[in-house]
Amino acid sequence: MKKTKKALEGIIEGMKKDDKRHATNKLVNLALQKPNSAEYECDEEAAYTADRKELIFIFGKKPELTVPEGVEVIEEQASYRNPHLSKLTL
């Protein structure tokens, strides 16, 4: 489902203080880098570009994530500051 800025803020609000600050900074930086991407799509595990071709940021504390079909690019720092993630399934 596509999320607006308000919905993304709601997800970020539920995070711990350090994770919240990092997620907010990461999403702001990505918005500045991708001015043509007005919307992002996210679920409880990750944020993607609106077309779901790029995995932008991995939320949460789960040790593994299955990358959805159709994702072509995993951003370089998608798992930055996520020490819990140990496995990505493509």
Side-chain angles (χ1 to χ4, degrees), residues 21-65:
R21 184 182 67 231
H22 172 69
T24 301
N25 290 341
K26 179 71 171 169
L27 290 173
V28 167
N29 286 336
L30 287 165
L32 292 172
Q33 292 171 16
K34 299 178 182 301
N36 295 328
S37 296
E39 292 185 17
Y40 296 97
E41 185 171 331
C42 65
D43 52 31
E44 297 301 318
E45 296 180 331
Y48 308 88
T49 53
D51 60 6
R52 291 189 68 94
K53 290 186 177 186
E54 295 181 45
L55 188 154
I56 298 169
F57 184 75
I58 300 169
F59 299 112
K61 306 287 185 201
K62 293 185 179 180
E64 58 184 76
L65 173 74

Short mmCIF file of all heavy atoms in Angstrom, two decimals, residues 21-65:
data_model
loop_
_atom_site.label_atom_id
_atom_site.label_comp_id
_atom_site.label_asym_id
_atom_site.label_seq_id
_atom_site.Cartn_x
_atom_site.Cartn_y
_atom_site.Cartn_z
N ARG A 21 15.32 8.52 14.93
CA ARG A 21 16.14 9.60 14.39
C ARG A 21 16.81 9.15 13.09
O ARG A 21 16.80 9.86 12.09
CB ARG A 21 17.19 10.03 15.41
CG ARG A 21 18.02 11.22 14.93
CD ARG A 21 19.09 11.63 15.91
NE ARG A 21 20.08 10.58 16.00
CZ ARG A 21 20.51 10.04 17.13
NH1 ARG A 21 20.05 10.45 18.29
NH2 ARG A 21 21.41 9.09 17.13
N HIS A 22 17.34 7.93 13.09
CA HIS A 22 18.01 7.43 11.89
C HIS A 22 17.02 7.26 10.73
O HIS A 22 17.30 7.64 9.61
CB HIS A 22 18.71 6.10 12.17
CG HIS A 22 19.24 5.47 10.94
ND1 HIS A 22 20.30 6.00 10.23
CD2 HIS A 22 18.83 4.39 10.25
CE1 HIS A 22 20.53 5.26 9.17
NE2 HIS A 22 19.64 4.28 9.15
N ALA A 23 15.86 6.67 11.00
CA ALA A 23 14.86 6.45 9.94
C ALA A 23 14.39 7.77 9.36
O ALA A 23 14.26 7.92 8.14
CB ALA A 23 13.68 5.66 10.49
N THR A 24 14.16 8.75 10.21
CA THR A 24 13.72 10.07 9.74
C THR A 24 14.80 10.70 8.86
O THR A 24 14.51 11.19 7.77
CB THR A 24 13.40 10.99 10.93
OG1 THR A 24 12.38 10.38 11.71
CG2 THR A 24 12.95 12.36 10.46
N ASN A 25 16.04 10.67 9.31
CA ASN A 25 17.14 11.24 8.53
C ASN A 25 17.30 10.53 7.20
O ASN A 25 17.51 11.16 6.17
CB ASN A 25 18.45 11.19 9.32
CG ASN A 25 18.47 12.15 10.47
OD1 ASN A 25 17.70 13.09 10.53
ND2 ASN A 25 19.36 11.90 11.42
N LYS A 26 17.20 9.21 7.21
CA LYS A 26 17.36 8.42 5.99
C LYS A 26 16.27 8.76 4.98
O LYS A 26 16.54 8.98 3.80
CB LYS A 26 17.32 6.93 6.34
CG LYS A 26 17.45 6.01 5.16
CD LYS A 26 18.83 6.02 4.59
CE LYS A 26 18.96 4.92 3.55
NZ LYS A 26 20.18 5.04 2.79
N LEU A 27 15.02 8.83 5.42
CA LEU A 27 13.92 9.13 4.51
C LEU A 27 14.01 10.57 3.97
O LEU A 27 13.73 10.81 2.80
CB LEU A 27 12.57 8.88 5.18
CG LEU A 27 12.25 7.40 5.41
CD1 LEU A 27 10.99 7.26 6.24
CD2 LEU A 27 12.13 6.65 4.10
N VAL A 28 14.43 11.50 4.80
CA VAL A 28 14.61 12.89 4.34
C VAL A 28 15.71 12.94 3.29
O VAL A 28 15.56 13.55 2.23
CB VAL A 28 14.91 13.85 5.51
CG1 VAL A 28 15.39 15.20 5.01
CG2 VAL A 28 13.68 14.01 6.38
N ASN A 29 16.83 12.28 3.56
CA ASN A 29 17.93 12.26 2.59
C ASN A 29 17.51 11.64 1.27
O ASN A 29 17.84 12.13 0.20
CB ASN A 29 19.14 11.52 3.15
CG ASN A 29 19.87 12.31 4.21
OD1 ASN A 29 19.77 13.52 4.24
ND2 ASN A 29 20.58 11.62 5.08
N LEU A 30 16.77 10.54 1.34
CA LEU A 30 16.32 9.89 0.12
C LEU A 30 15.34 10.77 -0.65
O LEU A 30 15.38 10.82 -1.88
CB LEU A 30 15.67 8.53 0.44
CG LEU A 30 16.69 7.48 0.84
CD1 LEU A 30 15.99 6.30 1.49
CD2 LEU A 30 17.50 7.02 -0.35
N ALA A 31 14.48 11.46 0.05
CA ALA A 31 13.54 12.37 -0.63
C ALA A 31 14.29 13.48 -1.36
O ALA A 31 13.93 13.86 -2.47
CB ALA A 31 12.56 12.97 0.38
N LEU A 32 15.38 13.97 -0.77
CA LEU A 32 16.17 15.00 -1.41
C LEU A 32 16.94 14.45 -2.61
O LEU A 32 17.14 15.14 -3.61
CB LEU A 32 17.15 15.63 -0.41
CG LEU A 32 16.50 16.44 0.70
CD1 LEU A 32 17.55 16.83 1.74
CD2 LEU A 32 15.81 17.67 0.14
N GLN A 33 17.37 13.21 -2.54
CA GLN A 33 18.12 12.59 -3.62
C GLN A 33 17.22 12.19 -4.78
O GLN A 33 17.67 12.06 -5.90
CB GLN A 33 18.85 11.35 -3.13
CG GLN A 33 19.96 11.64 -2.16
CD GLN A 33 20.51 10.37 -1.54
OE1 GLN A 33 20.27 9.28 -2.03
NE2 GLN A 33 21.23 10.51 -0.45
N LYS A 34 15.96 11.93 -4.52
CA LYS A 34 15.03 11.44 -5.53
C LYS A 34 13.85 12.39 -5.67
O LYS A 34 12.73 12.04 -5.30
CB LYS A 34 14.54 10.04 -5.15
CG LYS A 34 15.65 9.02 -5.06
CD LYS A 34 15.09 7.69 -4.62
CE LYS A 34 16.14 6.65 -4.47
NZ LYS A 34 16.91 6.36 -5.65
N PRO A 35 14.08 13.58 -6.19
CA PRO A 35 12.99 14.57 -6.24
C PRO A 35 11.81 14.15 -7.11
O PRO A 35 10.73 14.68 -6.96
CB PRO A 35 13.68 15.81 -6.82
CG PRO A 35 14.88 15.30 -7.53
CD PRO A 35 15.30 14.07 -6.78
N ASN A 36 11.97 13.19 -8.01
CA ASN A 36 10.87 12.76 -8.85
C ASN A 36 10.00 11.69 -8.18
O ASN A 36 8.98 11.30 -8.70
CB ASN A 36 11.39 12.23 -10.19
CG ASN A 36 12.05 13.32 -11.00
OD1 ASN A 36 11.64 14.47 -10.92
ND2 ASN A 36 13.04 12.97 -11.76
N SER A 37 10.42 11.18 -7.03
CA SER A 37 9.64 10.18 -6.31
C SER A 37 8.81 10.88 -5.24
O SER A 37 9.27 11.09 -4.13
CB SER A 37 10.57 9.14 -5.66
OG SER A 37 11.26 8.43 -6.64
N ALA A 38 7.59 11.23 -5.58
CA ALA A 38 6.73 11.97 -4.66
C ALA A 38 6.21 11.08 -3.54
O ALA A 38 5.94 11.56 -2.45
CB ALA A 38 5.57 12.59 -5.42
N GLU A 39 6.08 9.79 -3.81
CA GLU A 39 5.55 8.88 -2.80
C GLU A 39 6.44 7.67 -2.66
O GLU A 39 7.11 7.26 -3.60
CB GLU A 39 4.14 8.41 -3.19
CG GLU A 39 3.11 9.50 -3.17
CD GLU A 39 1.71 8.96 -3.46
OE1 GLU A 39 1.50 7.74 -3.36
OE2 GLU A 39 0.86 9.78 -3.79
N TYR A 40 6.39 7.10 -1.49
CA TYR A 40 7.07 5.85 -1.23
C TYR A 40 6.02 4.85 -0.81
O TYR A 40 4.94 5.21 -0.35
CB TYR A 40 8.10 6.02 -0.10
CG TYR A 40 9.21 6.96 -0.49
CD1 TYR A 40 9.18 8.29 -0.12
CD2 TYR A 40 10.27 6.51 -1.24
CE1 TYR A 40 10.19 9.16 -0.49
CE2 TYR A 40 11.29 7.37 -1.62
CZ TYR A 40 11.25 8.69 -1.24
OH TYR A 40 12.24 9.53 -1.61
N GLU A 41 6.33 3.60 -0.97
CA GLU A 41 5.44 2.55 -0.52
C GLU A 41 6.17 1.79 0.58
O GLU A 41 7.36 1.55 0.49
CB GLU A 41 5.10 1.61 -1.68
CG GLU A 41 4.09 0.57 -1.32
CD GLU A 41 3.60 -0.20 -2.52
OE1 GLU A 41 3.60 0.34 -3.63
OE2 GLU A 41 3.24 -1.36 -2.31
N CYS A 42 5.44 1.46 1.62
CA CYS A 42 6.10 0.71 2.68
C CYS A 42 5.12 -0.24 3.34
O CYS A 42 3.90 -0.12 3.21
CB CYS A 42 6.72 1.64 3.71
SG CYS A 42 5.57 2.63 4.62
N ASP A 43 5.71 -1.20 4.02
CA ASP A 43 4.93 -2.10 4.86
C ASP A 43 5.59 -2.05 6.23
O ASP A 43 6.40 -1.17 6.49
CB ASP A 43 4.87 -3.51 4.25
CG ASP A 43 6.25 -4.08 3.90
OD1 ASP A 43 7.24 -3.75 4.60
OD2 ASP A 43 6.34 -4.87 2.95
N GLU A 44 5.29 -2.98 7.08
CA GLU A 44 5.86 -2.95 8.43
C GLU A 44 7.34 -3.34 8.45
O GLU A 44 8.01 -3.19 9.46
CB GLU A 44 5.08 -3.87 9.36
CG GLU A 44 3.63 -3.45 9.54
CD GLU A 44 3.48 -2.06 10.10
OE1 GLU A 44 4.22 -1.69 11.03
OE2 GLU A 44 2.62 -1.31 9.60
N GLU A 45 7.87 -3.85 7.32
CA GLU A 45 9.25 -4.31 7.29
C GLU A 45 10.21 -3.38 6.56
O GLU A 45 11.38 -3.34 6.88
CB GLU A 45 9.32 -5.70 6.66
CG GLU A 45 8.59 -6.75 7.47
CD GLU A 45 8.65 -8.12 6.84
OE1 GLU A 45 8.76 -8.20 5.60
OE2 GLU A 45 8.59 -9.10 7.58
N ALA A 46 9.72 -2.66 5.53
CA ALA A 46 10.64 -1.88 4.71
C ALA A 46 9.92 -0.77 3.95
O ALA A 46 8.70 -0.79 3.80
CB ALA A 46 11.36 -2.81 3.72
N ALA A 47 10.73 0.16 3.43
CA ALA A 47 10.22 1.24 2.57
C ALA A 47 10.81 1.04 1.18
O ALA A 47 11.97 0.65 1.02
CB ALA A 47 10.63 2.60 3.12
N TYR A 48 9.98 1.32 0.18
CA TYR A 48 10.35 1.13 -1.22
C TYR A 48 9.99 2.40 -1.99
O TYR A 48 9.19 3.20 -1.54
CB TYR A 48 9.55 -0.03 -1.84
CG TYR A 48 9.61 -1.31 -1.05
CD1 TYR A 48 8.69 -1.57 -0.04
CD2 TYR A 48 10.58 -2.26 -1.32
CE1 TYR A 48 8.75 -2.73 0.70
CE2 TYR A 48 10.63 -3.44 -0.59
CZ TYR A 48 9.72 -3.67 0.41
OH TYR A 48 9.78 -4.83 1.15
N THR A 49 10.54 2.53 -3.21
CA THR A 49 10.07 3.58 -4.09
C THR A 49 8.63 3.22 -4.46
O THR A 49 8.19 2.08 -4.31
CB THR A 49 10.93 3.68 -5.36
OG1 THR A 49 11.03 2.40 -5.98
CG2 THR A 49 12.32 4.22 -5.05
N ALA A 50 7.88 4.20 -4.95
CA ALA A 50 6.46 3.99 -5.25
C ALA A 50 6.24 2.86 -6.25
O ALA A 50 5.24 2.16 -6.18
CB ALA A 50 5.84 5.28 -5.77
N ASP A 51 7.18 2.65 -7.16
CA ASP A 51 7.04 1.56 -8.13
C ASP A 51 7.54 0.21 -7.60
O ASP A 51 7.50 -0.79 -8.31
CB ASP A 51 7.74 1.91 -9.44
CG ASP A 51 9.24 2.15 -9.28
OD1 ASP A 51 9.79 1.93 -8.17
OD2 ASP A 51 9.86 2.58 -10.27
N ARG A 52 8.00 0.20 -6.36
CA ARG A 52 8.51 -0.99 -5.67
C ARG A 52 9.69 -1.65 -6.39
O ARG A 52 9.93 -2.84 -6.24
CB ARG A 52 7.40 -2.01 -5.42
CG ARG A 52 6.41 -1.53 -4.38
CD ARG A 52 5.43 -2.57 -3.95
NE ARG A 52 6.01 -3.66 -3.19
CZ ARG A 52 6.08 -3.72 -1.87
NH1 ARG A 52 5.60 -2.76 -1.14
NH2 ARG A 52 6.62 -4.76 -1.27
N LYS A 53 10.46 -0.85 -7.11
CA LYS A 53 11.64 -1.38 -7.79
C LYS A 53 12.91 -1.21 -6.95
O LYS A 53 13.91 -1.85 -7.21
CB LYS A 53 11.83 -0.73 -9.15
CG LYS A 53 10.77 -1.16 -10.15
CD LYS A 53 11.05 -0.64 -11.52
CE LYS A 53 9.99 -1.16 -12.48
NZ LYS A 53 10.30 -0.78 -13.85
N GLU A 54 12.84 -0.33 -5.95
CA GLU A 54 14.00 -0.10 -5.08
C GLU A 54 13.61 -0.27 -3.63
O GLU A 54 12.65 0.32 -3.17
CB GLU A 54 14.57 1.31 -5.27
CG GLU A 54 15.14 1.55 -6.64
CD GLU A 54 15.71 2.96 -6.77
OE1 GLU A 54 16.42 3.40 -5.83
OE2 GLU A 54 15.44 3.60 -7.79
N LEU A 55 14.38 -1.08 -2.91
CA LEU A 55 14.23 -1.21 -1.47
C LEU A 55 15.09 -0.10 -0.86
O LEU A 55 16.29 -0.06 -1.09
CB LEU A 55 14.69 -2.59 -1.01
CG LEU A 55 14.40 -2.94 0.44
CD1 LEU A 55 14.29 -4.45 0.59
CD2 LEU A 55 15.40 -2.40 1.39
N ILE A 56 14.46 0.78 -0.12
CA ILE A 56 15.15 1.97 0.39
C ILE A 56 15.67 1.78 1.81
O ILE A 56 16.80 2.12 2.12
CB ILE A 56 14.20 3.18 0.36
CG1 ILE A 56 13.79 3.46 -1.08
CG2 ILE A 56 14.85 4.39 0.98
CD1 ILE A 56 12.65 4.45 -1.19
N PHE A 57 14.83 1.27 2.68
CA PHE A 57 15.18 1.21 4.10
C PHE A 57 14.47 0.04 4.75
O PHE A 57 13.29 -0.20 4.49
CB PHE A 57 14.76 2.52 4.78
CG PHE A 57 15.16 2.62 6.22
CD1 PHE A 57 16.47 2.86 6.56
CD2 PHE A 57 14.23 2.45 7.21
CE1 PHE A 57 16.85 2.95 7.90
CE2 PHE A 57 14.59 2.54 8.55
CZ PHE A 57 15.90 2.79 8.88
N ILE A 58 15.17 -0.70 5.59
CA ILE A 58 14.60 -1.84 6.29
C ILE A 58 14.30 -1.42 7.73
O ILE A 58 15.19 -0.98 8.46
CB ILE A 58 15.55 -3.04 6.26
CG1 ILE A 58 15.81 -3.44 4.80
CG2 ILE A 58 14.98 -4.20 7.06
CD1 ILE A 58 16.92 -4.44 4.62
N PHE A 59 13.02 -1.53 8.12
CA PHE A 59 12.59 -1.20 9.48
C PHE A 59 12.71 -2.42 10.38
O PHE A 59 12.77 -3.54 9.93
CB PHE A 59 11.10 -0.80 9.49
CG PHE A 59 10.76 0.38 8.66
CD1 PHE A 59 9.98 0.25 7.53
CD2 PHE A 59 11.20 1.64 9.01
CE1 PHE A 59 9.64 1.35 6.77
CE2 PHE A 59 10.86 2.75 8.26
CZ PHE A 59 10.08 2.59 7.13
N GLY A 60 12.65 -2.19 11.66
CA GLY A 60 12.42 -3.26 12.62
C GLY A 60 13.63 -4.05 13.06
O GLY A 60 14.76 -3.75 12.71
N LYS A 61 13.33 -5.08 13.81
CA LYS A 61 14.37 -5.87 14.47
C LYS A 61 14.37 -7.33 14.03
O LYS A 61 14.96 -8.17 14.67
CB LYS A 61 14.15 -5.83 15.99
CG LYS A 61 14.06 -4.45 16.57
CD LYS A 61 15.40 -3.78 16.60
CE LYS A 61 15.28 -2.44 17.31
NZ LYS A 61 16.32 -1.54 16.99
N LYS A 62 13.70 -7.67 12.94
CA LYS A 62 13.65 -9.05 12.50
C LYS A 62 15.00 -9.48 11.93
O LYS A 62 15.69 -8.70 11.29
CB LYS A 62 12.56 -9.23 11.44
CG LYS A 62 11.17 -9.04 12.01
CD LYS A 62 10.12 -9.34 10.98
CE LYS A 62 8.75 -9.15 11.59
NZ LYS A 62 7.69 -9.43 10.64
N PRO A 63 15.38 -10.74 12.15
CA PRO A 63 16.68 -11.21 11.68
C PRO A 63 16.73 -11.50 10.18
O PRO A 63 17.81 -11.64 9.62
CB PRO A 63 16.92 -12.49 12.48
CG PRO A 63 15.56 -12.96 12.84
CD PRO A 63 14.72 -11.72 13.00
N GLU A 64 15.57 -11.61 9.53
CA GLU A 64 15.60 -11.86 8.10
C GLU A 64 14.46 -11.16 7.38
O GLU A 64 13.46 -10.80 7.98
CB GLU A 64 15.59 -13.35 7.79
CG GLU A 64 14.41 -14.13 8.32
CD GLU A 64 14.58 -15.62 8.04
OE1 GLU A 64 15.38 -16.25 8.74
OE2 GLU A 64 13.91 -16.11 7.11
N LEU A 65 14.67 -10.95 6.09
CA LEU A 65 13.68 -10.27 5.25
C LEU A 65 13.67 -10.95 3.89
O LEU A 65 14.72 -11.21 3.32
CB LEU A 65 14.04 -8.79 5.08
CG LEU A 65 13.18 -8.00 4.10
CD1 LEU A 65 11.80 -7.73 4.71
CD2 LEU A 65 13.85 -6.69 3.72
#
